[in-house]
Amino acid sequence: MRALLVVNPAATTTSARTRDVLIHALASEMKIEAVTTEYRGHARDLARQAAESKDIDLVVALGGDGTVNEVVNGLLHQGPDPDRLPGLAVVPGGSTNVFARALGLPNEPVEATGALLDALRDGGQRTVGLGLAAGTPGTEDEAVPSRWFTFCAGFGFDAGVIGRVEQQRERGKRSTHALYMRQAVRQFLGEPHRKGGTIVLERDGEDPVSDLVLSIVCNTSPWTYLGNRPVYASPKASFETGLDVLGLSRMSTAAVARYATQLLTSSPERGPHGKHALSLHDLTDFTLHSKVPLPLQMDGDHLGLRTSVTFTGVRRALRVIV
């Protein structure tokens, strides 16, 4: 087997020595070329080259969810074709690693490498669905390039939180759960649409849902982790179905306290609920519009402001070794 190992040297939880150990372990089972990323988007470019080369069987992403997202977008640059394209393997090296953990991989990189080697020996793999977000035809965002996401996207409040976190990281702050919590509080205090949202959800054959303040799109469950605690925004979301949506139409102090508590105590059987909570399951196509530009995030990466985004749930999009 020929494999490309894409290494993010800035991965939060791996040192240079650990990465060397992992590379040697993987090289014992396959013919591997390891390349270290040098700029934002480099992992995408490397994966695209691997997909076009026709002689790479597997691309291994060693890094966090951002690295995985770039690799996926590179592999699927010409669209999904799991029977022809190289498979994907993940060695988690970020602070949260939602995609890897949702696949059932250990969150520790050495243990995950061992699980990956076992899967390769046993022929373990699965084909998962992904989400695709694109500019909406007929809007000012029509020309925005489409982008794949593996576990979640957000339009509005949660994307604003991620934007604030990225600003803090650029100033040298370490990515921690405490940093996310602090920025969530600041985003809430500065949110101008807490009592009446600007987001409208539209889908064919259904009445629009308007006045949403927050919209979280899930491709799997859990939505994220706080340390070792899984957080379920849409408990029914799955790699085998379409996309799920959690929307909130009010973020007053009382509402935020209620829904934050529900998220922190959520389970695979029950997520946030109530008269201001919208939960939709297994959607294939829908669009989120906003009366004002709002932040957009995918797989924890802030992508700037948008007024309209069209989402598609694509089943059986990518072959994953697990």
Side-chain angles (χ1 to χ4, degrees):
M1 175 180 286
R2 294 194 61 183
L4 171 68
L5 174 63
V6 178
V7 181
N8 180 0
T12 307
T13 58
T14 58
S15 65
R17 180 175 294 179
T18 300
R19 290 191 290 270
D20 286 342
V21 170
L22 300 180
I23 290 170
H24 285 300
L26 293 169
S28 69
E29 295 291 333
M30 64 189 83
K31 185 176 181 180
I32 193 165
E33 176 187 5
V35 181
T36 299
T37 58
E38 299 176 354
Y39 54 86
R40 185 172 182 141
H42 194 185
R44 179 196 62 227
D45 296 341
L46 292 169
R48 178 179 176 180
Q49 293 168 12
E52 294 173 347
S53 71
K54 299 182 180 179
D55 60 356
I56 299 294
D57 304 301
L58 179 68
V59 177
V60 184
L62 197 172
D65 288 310
T67 303
V68 174
N69 180 276
E70 285 195 17
V71 168
V72 167
N73 276 277
L75 286 173
L76 302 187
H77 178 74
Q78 298 292 341
D81 190 348
D83 295 328
R84 179 186 64 83
L85 291 172
L88 171 70
V90 178
V91 178
S95 58
T96 309
N97 308 304
V98 178
F99 181 65
R101 295 163 86 173
L103 289 171
L105 290 170
N107 195 39
E108 201 280 324
V110 174
E111 291 185 15
T113 300
L116 170 59
L117 293 174
D118 288 342
L120 288 170
R121 297 186 191 107
D122 298 338
Q125 62 180 20
R126 63 187 288 195
T127 303
V128 300
L130 297 173
L132 182 66
T136 305
T139 71
E140 61 186 66
D141 292 322
E142 180 176 7
V144 175
S146 60
R147 179 161 172 161
W148 296 90
F149 59 95
T150 63
F151 65 91
C152 84
F155 188 48
F157 180 84
D158 77 306
V161 174
I162 287 173
R164 288 176 177 270
V165 169
E166 290 190 1
Q167 289 177 351
Q168 294 298 312
R169 294 190 65 183
E170 290 172 358
R171 296 170 184 167
K173 296 293 182 64
R174 182 178 173 84
S175 177
T176 63
H177 298 298
L179 176 62
Y180 276 88
M181 296 299 289
R182 289 196 301 271
Q183 299 312 312
V185 171
R186 291 174 181 172
Q187 180 70 18
F188 169 73
L189 294 175
E191 175 60 55
H193 307 293
R194 284 185 287 179
K195 295 185 178 179
T198 66
I199 302 171
V200 178
L201 186 151
E202 294 182 349
R203 50 186 172 138
D204 290 342
E206 301 288 344
D207 293 334
V209 180
S210 60
D211 300 327
L212 297 176
V213 181
L214 173 150
S215 52
I216 295 173
V217 182
C218 292
N219 185 52
T220 189
S221 187
W223 165 51
T224 190
Y225 291 83
L226 289 176
N228 291 322
R229 176 188 288 276
V231 180
Y232 299 88
S234 296
K236 294 181 181 179
S238 165
F239 288 128
E240 279 68 49
T241 63
L243 300 174
D244 284 26
V245 177
L246 170 67
L248 298 181
S249 58
R250 178 167 295 186
M251 292 191 68
S252 63
T253 302
V256 166
R258 179 168 61 253
Y259 293 124
T261 300
Q262 290 178 356
L263 278 170
L264 292 173
T265 59
S266 59
S267 70
E269 290 75 38
R270 192 168 178 82
H273 52 278
K275 67 178 182 178
H276 299 298
L278 169 74
S279 295
L280 299 174
H281 174 58
D282 195 11
L283 304 185
T284 300
D285 297 284
F286 63 94
T287 296
L288 296 174
H289 298 285
S290 174
K291 303 169 188 175
V292 299
L294 293 177
L296 172 70
Q297 68 88 8
M298 280 184 247
D299 288 347
D301 189 10
H302 187 270
L303 300 178
L305 301 178
R306 302 282 193 275
T307 56
S308 186
V309 188
T310 294
F311 291 91
T312 304
V314 181
R315 290 173 170 81
R316 295 187 56 79
L318 182 68
R319 183 167 51 91
V320 182
I321 306 302
V322 67

